[in-house]
Amino acid sequence: MTKPAQFILLFFILFFSSIHAQIEKTDPLYKTIMSKDSLLFSIGFNTCNIKQTEILLSDGLEFYHDKDGFSDKKKFMTDFKNGLCKDPDTYRSKRVLVDKSTQVYPLYKDGKVYAAIQNGDHIFYEKEKNQAEKLVGGASFTNLWTLENGDWKLTRSLSFDHHSKEANDLKTIFENDQEIENWLKENKIPTLGLGIIDGGELKQVKVFGEIKKNVSAPYNTYFNVASLTKPVTAMVALRLISLGKWKLDESIDTYWTDPDIINDLRHKKLTTRLILSHQTGFPNWRWMNADKKLNFQFDPGTKYQYSGEGFEYLRKALEKKFKKPLEQLAQELIFQPMRMNDTQYIWDQNTDESRFAIGYNEKGDPYPTEKNKTANAADDLHTTIEDYGNFMVNVMKGKDLNPEVFQEMIKKQSKIKEDVYFGLGLSVYDLGNGDYALSHGGADKGTRCIAFVLPKTGKGILIFTNVDDGYKVYEKLVLHYLGAQGKKIVDIENR
């Protein structure tokens, strides 16, 4: 065998040997090292437990830091006591191990484990008195743990690649699921459903947090998405229009007139176009009026005013004409074709309450769950991130709509504010240079949800939360996942 061949053979032997040197997370040694890591940092470092920290360090400790130089055990403990832990009530540092970053390699002598190498990444938070905890930095580390008289001790530690991370460092926050969980806890968000659309497909579905105390939220968590009901109702009507069974500009008066406005001839002006673009002249809800009755607050078609009553008006007209409840029409036209098996307007025996994300106020108090027995065309749809994400992909592509109807849907029908309009069932953001986003939000007691899709790039995001102030996480998520287009959306919203 030639020398080059021998070298190649040796290389592959060493390479493949190293692949198998790292032990599995189920291995008892891996669990032991992770337990020691937790005792050293989660208990010792993070709570300034001097005694716990000291007993895990070998008397021969050598600590190498790429910013602060070398320390032996004596110097390390002195710095720890008089620096980070000098006044824990005023200043506190916290170390968090980056999820899935840890690797453990056993070291053997005479067939027995005598030490282990632990590699990983960690990040650090700081909290000063009367201020919120903030993310400040990250680093990589290599630790050598050795068995000393039957106890595992940290003998060598290399801490390197230290770099600053600020609280608005989006890459840091969203680089792993554990960081998102930490971020949600900081913002007191009980449950977050996140859907990421890319390349015209729903690529990621993630659900974080708990649906109730000590119960982790499942992948298919049900959310009450409030006004995200409206785009579904709009698509029912637009599908019927595409099938030639309904007319966009026909007077709704042909099928339904509400008794409250029967003597006001302006009801004859109401059309599906005006309803879906929020130009009816109705209040949002009639119960907001002193007499609790429906009325016109301006002439239909003259300006924008958001109204759930308009969508309920449309529901009654559709049900009158087709002699079917809205829930059945949606099942036939939207839910079944799109395989939205976890989406309903109503709460019935098919609703799995164990998967429902209970809504909370800002203090963490739960709200009663809305369990509608009849469909509301504007509110209280129950769905999952996966179902609604696939729905928005279909909306973005105009699937099952004829081209003329799709163009009407994305047309700027009524103006909300600068660069934001309402189309048919969805708001339209003018991002400049012919680019646009379609969006809708939902807000009720215990729910804040929003969805954006970008038809020209095939991107999109869904954000579902179950708390009154869940909107506070929107901006960072939109900026991170939608990039430059997200920045334009945020800039428009912040004007």
Side-chain angles (χ1 to χ4, degrees), residues 15-32:
F15 178 77
F16 286 108
S17 295
S18 67
I19 287 177
H20 298 289
Q22 180 187 340
I23 59 177
E24 298 293 331
K25 293 183 178 180
T26 54
D27 190 286
L29 177 60
Y30 184 94
K31 293 179 180 180
T32 297

Side-chain angles (χ1 to χ4, degrees), residues 8-23 104-108:
I8 292 170
L9 178 61
L10 179 61
F11 172 82
F12 277 103
I13 290 172
L14 292 173
F15 178 77
F16 286 108
S17 295
S18 67
I19 287 177
H20 298 289
Q22 180 187 340
I23 59 177
V104 175
Y105 300 84
L107 300 180
Y108 295 93

Side-chain angles (χ1 to χ4, degrees), residues 140-367:
S140 297
F141 67 91
T142 296
N143 287 339
L144 174 65
W145 295 87
T146 58
L147 273 172
E148 297 182 3
N149 299 319
D151 290 331
W152 287 96
K153 302 284 187 177
L154 182 63
T155 306
R156 303 285 185 278
S157 182
L158 288 78
S159 189
F160 54 94
D161 189 29
H162 282 84
H163 47 279
S164 63
K165 290 179 179 291
E166 298 186 8
N168 61 353
D169 186 338
L170 302 181
K171 184 178 184 300
T172 298
I173 293 173
F174 303 115
E175 65 187 7
N176 63 72
D177 290 354
Q178 184 58 54
E179 266 306 287
I180 294 179
E181 292 278 7
N182 294 338
W183 179 60
L184 293 176
K185 288 177 182 177
E186 290 170 16
N187 284 279
K188 297 181 180 180
I189 306 294
T191 316
L192 168 70
L194 186 62
I196 305 302
I197 298 167
D198 195 18
E201 296 180 6
L202 182 63
K203 289 291 180 68
Q204 292 184 51
V205 173
K206 292 186 176 184
V207 181
F208 302 91
E210 298 180 339
I211 52 173
K212 54 185 177 182
K213 190 172 179 59
N214 298 323
V215 179
S216 295
Y219 170 91
N220 57 351
T221 294
Y222 277 121
F223 289 86
N224 180 335
V225 294
S227 289
L228 280 177
T229 307
K230 293 181 178 72
V232 175
T233 301
M235 283 300 293
V236 170
L238 296 177
R239 279 284 289 124
L240 289 167
I241 293 167
S242 292
L243 292 169
K245 297 180 179 182
W246 191 254
K247 294 180 181 179
L248 182 62
D249 294 307
E250 181 181 18
S251 174
I252 298 293
D253 179 64
T254 306
Y255 308 104
W256 168 256
T257 303
D258 191 285
D260 286 356
I261 57 171
I262 198 163
N263 294 321
D264 190 327
L265 294 181
R266 286 180 289 184
H267 69 73
K268 295 181 180 293
K269 297 180 180 181
L270 295 173
T271 65
T272 301
R273 182 191 298 276
L274 296 185
I275 289 170
L276 297 186
S277 59
H278 293 282
Q279 299 182 81
T280 58
F282 292 154
N284 190 12
W285 296 108
R286 69 183 73 197
W287 55 260
M288 294 178 172
N289 290 331
D291 60 4
K292 312 299 183 187
K293 290 186 177 182
L294 186 64
N295 69 324
F296 287 104
Q297 298 181 342
F298 55 85
D299 289 344
T302 58
K303 64 179 181 179
Y304 166 86
Q305 179 167 283
Y306 191 79
S307 175
E309 287 288 353
F311 277 70
E312 276 287 83
Y313 207 99
L314 176 61
R315 172 181 69 83
K316 293 169 184 176
L318 290 170
E319 291 179 342
K320 203 81 165 169
K321 175 176 171 59
F322 295 102
K323 297 179 172 53
K324 296 178 181 179
L326 177 60
E327 172 74 16
Q328 185 178 343
L329 289 171
Q331 286 288 346
E332 294 172 359
L333 296 167
I334 308 296
F335 301 158
Q336 291 175 5
M338 296 185 190
R339 299 181 180 178
M340 295 171 66
N341 299 321
D342 279 331
T343 303
Q344 290 180 289
Y345 283 90
I346 60 175
W347 189 287
D348 61 15
Q349 69 277 5
N350 297 317
T351 307
D352 184 355
E353 190 165 1
S354 69
R355 291 195 277 128
F356 182 73
I358 297 168
Y360 295 90
N361 64 21
E362 294 177 28
K363 296 179 180 179
D365 301 321
Y367 288 110

